[in-house]
Amino acid sequence: QVLLVETGGGVVQPGRSLRLSCATSGFTFTTYGLHWVRQAPGKGLEWVAIIWHDGSKGYYADSVKGRFTISRDNSRNTVFLQMNSLRAEDTATYYCARDDGLNPTYWGQGTLVTVSS
Amino acid sequence: QSALTQPASVSGSPGQSITISCTGTSSDVGGYNHVSWYQQHPGKAPKFIIYDVSNRPSGVSNRFSGSKSGNTASLTISGLQAEDEADYYCSSYTSSTTWVFGGGTKLTVL
């Protein structure tokens, strides 16, 4: 079965960095793009980034462009989100999701990032 | 990219049908058939229930259906059940090669 497991969340000070990981199983990793989507506490969903199946392209929301970088390791079936210059407004649960024909479909359980001094 | 517009809340009685709208622009909902819907119960991850406007993944009840007209997509839930009480979100691919979500709709089963 399709499984995505996010790790790497925690409490970090403003201006610092954090790297999230999303380990996947149950499907042919190299066939699919992967998204990151976040949800601030008590708020709605916000799309963050996508990386194509072959890692050739990454696209970002304006709110994180220039600060966040999405990457993938096809040998480890894992996608990453490097988050730099973190701000209080980046506090959220971060989900990774598989892309199926330009639709985010299967989601992980999420990992919580708290940006606070 | 502005969020898609959804009603903040809808409600219905068991057995009834409800429809949740999701309004965007010609650069997202109106321009592409890559509209998805998600169900999220409190404290849980979102679960996709509709993709490409009207397709249901395997295992999702046929009580859930999706449609689109112009810049507005819709999710209809028929034969409401208590377990349908949750938050619902729409999303759409956009012309900027980004995705945008709706603000979410809280469904209350009376």
Side-chain angles (χ1 to χ4, degrees):
Chain A
Q1 100 251 27
V2 175
L3 197 60
L4 302 95
V5 179
E6 303 92 338
T7 56
V11 180
V12 61
Q13 293 180 327
R16 304 298 289 266
S17 299
L18 202 62
R19 188 174 87 150
L20 306 182
S21 300
C22 171
T24 74
S25 61
F27 62 96
T28 303
F29 185 73
T30 53
T31 304
Y32 295 91
L34 275 298
H35 298 264
W36 285 98
V37 179
R38 67 185 181 183
Q39 185 171 34
K43 302 296 185 182
L45 300 171
E46 180 188 14
W47 180 80
V48 173
I50 187 174
I51 188 165
W52 278 172
H53 69 285
D54 58 359
S56 60
K57 292 275 193 183
Y59 295 89
Y60 301 88
D62 287 343
S63 57
V64 306
K65 200 175 295 183
R67 299 187 300 123
F68 290 12
T69 302
I70 190 171
S71 62
R72 62 191 293 158
D73 183 341
N74 285 353
S75 67
R76 293 164 55 189
N77 293 351
T78 300
V79 64
F80 305 97
L81 187 68
Q82 177 67 42
M83 305 186 295
N84 298 331
S85 303
L86 282 162
R87 307 167 179 166
E89 54 265 36
D90 295 319
T91 294
T93 295
Y94 285 74
Y95 298 98
C96 61
R98 194 179 87 174
D99 182 84
D100 282 72
L102 302 181
N103 299 270
T105 53
Y106 296 94
W107 297 53
Q109 86 292 343
T111 187
L112 177 62
V113 173
T114 302
V115 184
S116 173
S117 54
Chain B
Q1 183 72 44
S2 299
L4 305 175
T5 300
Q6 297 181 232
S9 63
V10 297
S11 62
S13 299
Q16 288 186 331
S17 295
I18 63 95
T19 296
I20 299 171
S21 61
C22 170
T23 301
T25 69
S26 58
S27 295
D28 39 65
V29 174
Y32 304 93
N33 286 327
H34 303 303
V35 176
S36 302
W37 288 91
Y38 307 89
Q39 177 190 63
Q40 186 179 34
H41 287 107
K44 300 294 188 182
K47 171 191 171 186
F48 83 112
I49 55 175
I50 295 287
Y51 67 99
D52 282 345
V53 175
S54 59
N55 293 299
R56 250 187 338 268
S58 61
V60 172
S61 170
N62 60 9
R63 297 185 300 103
F64 294 89
S65 61
S67 62
K68 189 182 86 167
S69 177
N71 294 339
T72 298
S74 298
L75 172 71
T76 297
I77 308 174
S78 58
L80 267 181
Q81 299 178 0
E83 69 213 46
D84 298 332
E85 187 161 294
D87 293 327
Y88 291 84
Y89 294 90
C90 61
S91 80
S92 175
Y93 174 73
T94 83
S95 59
S96 303
T97 316
T98 60
W99 279 256
V100 60
F101 283 87
T105 298
K106 182 177 181 60
L107 169 61
T108 300
V109 181
L110 302 170

